[in-house]
Amino acid sequence: MKTTRRDFIKITSMGAGGLAAGASPFVNWSIDFLNEDQIVPDDSKLKRVPTYCEVCFWKCAAWAYVNDEGKIVKLIGHENDQNSNGRLCPRGTGGLGMLEDENRLTKPLIREGEPGSQRFREASWDEAFDFIVKKMNKIEEKYGKESMALFFHGTTGPHFEYLWEAYGSDTMAEPAIAQCLVPREVGFKATFGKGLSSPEPTDIRNTRCLVLIGNHIGENMHNGHVQEMSQAIDNGATIITVDPRFSTAASKSKYWLPIRPSTDLALLLAWMHVIIKEELYDKEYVEKYTYGFDLLKNHVKSFTPEWAYTKTDIEPEIIRRTAREMAGAAPAVIIHPGRHTVWYGDDTQRTRAIAILNALLGSYGRKGGFYFPEKKRLAKYPHPEFEEPKWTWKTITKDKYKLTPLGATNVLIDHSLPENKSEYKIKGWFVAATNILVSIPDAEKTKRAIQNLDLLVAIDTMPAEITGYADVVLPEAVYLERYDFIRAAQHRKPHIALRMPVVEPKGDSKPGWWIARELGIRLGLEKYYPWKNIEEVLDWQLKKEGTSLAEMKKTGIKYFDKEDYLFIPDGADWEFNTPSGKIELFSNLLAADGYPGLPKFTEHKQNPQGFYRLIYGRVPMHTFGRTVNNPYLNTLRSQNHVWINPKVAKDWGIENGQKIWLENQDGVISTFAVEVRVTERINSNAVYLPHGFGSTGKKLSRAYGRGASDSEMITNVKIDPETGATGMRENFVTFLLENPHKEKQEV
Amino acid sequence: MRYGMAIDTKKCVGCSDCVVACQTENNIPHGYARDWISETVSGTYPELTLEIRSERCNHCDNTPCVRTCPTGASHVIEGGIVKVTHEECIGCGACVESCPYDARYFHPDGYVDKCTFCDHRVKNGQDPACVSVCPTYCMYFGDLDDPNSEVSKKIATRKTKVLAPEAGTKPQIFYLI
């Protein structure tokens, strides 16, 4: 039996039979190797244009290969780039699909129907800008400039952040913070005096032991980390993976710890207990660089592996053995901090525990542990002073969530709701390159906020859910059609990368910098835009650094001398940017604001009878929901599957491949059905649902209605008190075998 | 000279970059592919193993596809690379049926298509597109006749397997397990 060749991913159980071919003499080779017909031009006949990728946040530098018709034929990683090492991931390689997608936004649109109706009329840029400016002026008159909020993501963000600063509002947030990495940033800042930022400075390629806690490297294609994990495997490093799901990383691990979901902090405390009790910690490092060891020692005294076993289901002996394995590799050990760390609402506490464990093992600032990254700080193009807003995101966030360094999208949404009685009201939104109806939990609440707005402008390349709710949609050119600011990402050595247009923008779409500047001028902010186009700004910045735009167009990347140490030199004195100047095992920063100074374990709700914890994650060929419509990447994975353990499937009489609907603890039912994948890779208390599918955006012809959306099922949000981050993993789902929407229609 | 590949299942994460790289390199229409990912799960929770493989034409030594081709479109070139001359292919599908690896597909333009080991790159000294792009560096391409080639060394020092050995096709892609 043949499987269809259209299934590029074949999932089989053991045993792959083949057709038996009869015995026959070997065929002789004909010698026409060099004379073969070949329609593919070789690389030497193609022109290379530098860019950096926008299909995810890793921003790998790349070359676009262009044929003599001016068409991009392929995208290849830039050989001198530290983020990609010359190798893009599938999404970067398939970045051509972002360009080709026939569903792209190519005209400014003004909404005609009700919000969410997706009924728009095409408009000119002038008309769209006039509409926006008129509305903004009204909002300013009635509520003040601060009532205009900006939500953003990716390289589009900085153009609009600048516009906002020039305009006089600092009411801004990006989902990448409170819906993703902020607990980890604060956990590491509190411990080491500095957050980790991106790409995370983990020296994976030199490590001898990599510990992944719910972090599925290889399913998340964080390119550099995936590459370095592979090098670590080649070097014989031990991998320890903690995950209730048998992830790809778990399958590469010496130890897989199938933990009871939500109990990671108990395991971390028990590891600390073993490492301190058995005196496996780095005594010299702890003595020289840390503060609060005795407090920590006392704190973890009762957190024995036997105690942790009752919480985590991990055998005490395995907890001891893995702790010893880590210590044996130290300081070349990484308890990986993860990235999407908004899980249970005690996420700063958990990531603090991860930071402390690294400190005990002496891995921070050490080879095979964490390196000190360096980035080139480019000069800012001169501009007149910005007007000081009367209130900012801080005013409405920092009173409750004292330690967040950046705005929380959910807090700004709360202040947009009709029931918001505070004096700080948000009445207009700009949403730039982020689909906040999917990236922010509880979409119904977001929709209620939208109903209460006087203006919603969406800037995007694709007709995502959020653009359907916008009053005005501004079509942005895709990354291969535009300049953006120089990428000056941190890494082992400081380097910068250029993105320049490879082809002309499609239709009436325009680069983000152009949209922001044009709008700025129409808002009377000419003085902040003394330059005519972004090339002037880039060239000015680059010339300050001994290069130029012309040179960067040829090289794509430029390196600079390293100014700081990559690791702490042996035995050197070192000051950390914490209140004590040391690595704080006990955090003065947290304690000063009334938060626990030592990691506090909290029990979390387990799954009710007949319900299963919803665990979500990534598939390697997609970036959230942004790429499911990409014609290349869609053919790799066009829908998600809900993973169900065979025992659970048997109890329910559910078969592999069957379509079911999901209902969560709050009675929310998935809009679309999802196919079941019956697999041993998930435990019987939980289900796994890859994120980004089940789009309700009707104009996304390949993504609409394909699978179920995990975001829809996330209505119970556990807020992290330190940061305001939205913990999303305390949601439970049950199964509906009949179409619930059909029943409703019949009644 | 005998071209072949070694693919390290201990490193492959199944990301499918090899699939997309092949598509863009060889201008494969959307919805079709010359290579793909297979996953095999065994055991019961929590005693599990997972093997992930990047699969494609095995460029066999013993080629049922070439034998069954009525027009000679399917043939073998220098280095043991199995190819299809599109102009000579009548799309009868005999080769598609005879391949134990399901490595061939009907191109919408009416011929059968498959992996070429990117011979157009190989002759310029480059690796096949799939190998050159792989973020896990799990694929090795080279001359199996040369004991000093990286691919030969990998095969010599690691435990290996081939797919469907019972088919007797003598595949030249070796999985490091």
Side-chain angles (χ1 to χ4, degrees), chain A residues 505-523:
Chain A
K506 188 174 176 181
D508 269 353
S509 67
K510 295 282 186 185
W513 68 264
W514 182 91
I515 301 172
R517 182 180 181 278
E518 288 293 317
L519 198 54
I521 288 166
R522 285 166 165 86
L523 285 164

Side-chain angles (χ1 to χ4, degrees), chain A residues 666-733:
Chain A
D666 296 326
V668 176
I669 296 170
S670 64
T671 305
F672 303 110
V674 59
E675 271 183 36
V676 172
R677 176 177 174 186
V678 176
T679 175
E680 293 284 355
R681 292 176 63 187
I682 185 75
N683 79 6
S684 51
N685 299 326
V687 295
Y688 179 65
L689 189 65
H691 172 71
F693 297 88
S695 173
T696 56
K698 286 188 181 141
K699 298 197 170 169
L700 299 170
S701 59
R702 283 172 294 275
Y704 174 76
R706 306 282 303 185
S709 161
D710 58 313
S711 306
E712 282 184 345
M713 296 291 101
I714 298 169
T715 51
N716 182 32
V717 175
K718 309 296 279 187
I719 300 286
D720 184 45
E722 287 87 343
T723 62
T726 53
M728 304 193 224
R729 295 209 170 157
E730 206 168 293
N731 289 273
F732 304 95
V733 296

Side-chain angles (χ1 to χ4, degrees), chain A residues 2-44 71 73-77 84-97 100 217-219 221 223 226-231 233-234 243-249 251-252 256 258-259 620-621 630-633 635-637 643 645 647 677 679-684, chain B residues 1-3 8-17 19-28 30-50 52-53 55 60-64 66-67 75-81 83-87 95-105 111 113 116 119-124 126-127 130-138 140 145 154 158 161 164 166-170:
Chain A
K2 298 244 169 184
T3 50
T4 163
R5 283 286 284 109
R6 303 220 177 174
D7 295 335
F8 301 152
I9 311 290
K10 296 179 181 175
I11 296 156
T12 55
S13 53
M14 232 6 227
L19 297 179
S24 163
F26 293 90
V27 178
N28 287 327
W29 303 336
S30 55
I31 314 292
D32 58 353
F33 182 55
L34 298 173
N35 304 323
E36 279 297 293
D37 56 327
Q38 185 51 258
I39 49 165
V40 182
D42 71 48
D43 289 355
S44 63
K71 188 176 177 250
V73 296
K74 61 182 173 183
L75 298 163
I76 303 289
S84 72
N85 304 300
R87 294 177 180 231
L88 298 177
C89 81
R91 300 162 302 163
T93 306
L96 281 181
E100 291 172 12
I217 295 182
E219 287 163 285
M221 284 306 285
N223 196 351
V226 176
Q227 294 191 20
E228 293 200 18
M229 184 167 88
S230 213
Q231 290 170 274
I233 292 171
D234 264 344
D243 202 316
R245 183 177 66 96
F246 189 61
S247 61
T248 300
S251 78
K252 315 275 181 210
W256 170 41
I259 195 166
M621 59 291 282
N630 176 312
Y632 284 95
L633 306 179
T635 60
L636 299 174
R637 190 71 57 89
W643 297 23
N645 183 279
K647 287 191 201 78
R677 176 177 174 186
T679 175
E680 293 284 355
R681 292 176 63 187
I682 185 75
N683 79 6
S684 51
Chain B
M1 173 71 79
R2 197 349 164 169
Y3 289 117
D8 192 344
T9 63
K10 299 283 184 201
K11 294 199 289 183
C12 178
V13 296
C15 72
S16 311
D17 203 3
V19 180
V20 193
C22 174
Q23 290 169 328
T24 61
E25 177 69 30
N26 294 297
N27 200 19
I28 309 291
H30 293 313
Y32 300 87
R34 290 177 175 178
D35 53 352
W36 63 94
I37 298 292
S38 286
E39 294 181 12
T40 306
V41 183
S42 354
T44 48
Y45 194 95
E47 298 296 326
L48 291 164
T49 60
L50 167 65
I52 307 176
R53 296 179 304 274
E55 296 185 359
C60 303
D61 262 356
N62 180 13
T63 49
V66 173
R67 222 163 36 245
H75 63 289
V76 182
I77 63 166
E78 188 187 344
I81 299 175
K83 287 201 69 180
V84 182
T85 307
H86 297 157
E87 291 75 15
C95 58
V96 176
E97 284 304 313
S98 74
C99 175
Y101 307 103
D102 200 13
R104 293 168 167 246
Y105 71 96
Y111 53 81
D113 190 45
T116 62
D119 60 334
H120 64 288
R121 290 172 59 91
V122 172
K123 75 180 178 197
N124 291 337
Q126 293 172 296
D127 276 331
C130 55
V131 176
S132 71
V133 78
C134 175
T136 70
Y137 306 80
C138 79
Y140 306 88
D145 285 344
K154 284 285 171 195
R158 290 276 299 273
K161 75 170 188 187
E166 69 281 3
T169 52
K170 304 224 187 263

Side-chain angles (χ1 to χ4, degrees), chain A residues 165-166 382-388 527-528:
Chain A
E165 286 179 291
H383 59 76
E385 214 167 306
F386 296 131
E387 196 183 311
E388 198 67 39
K527 65 175 177 175
Y528 295 102

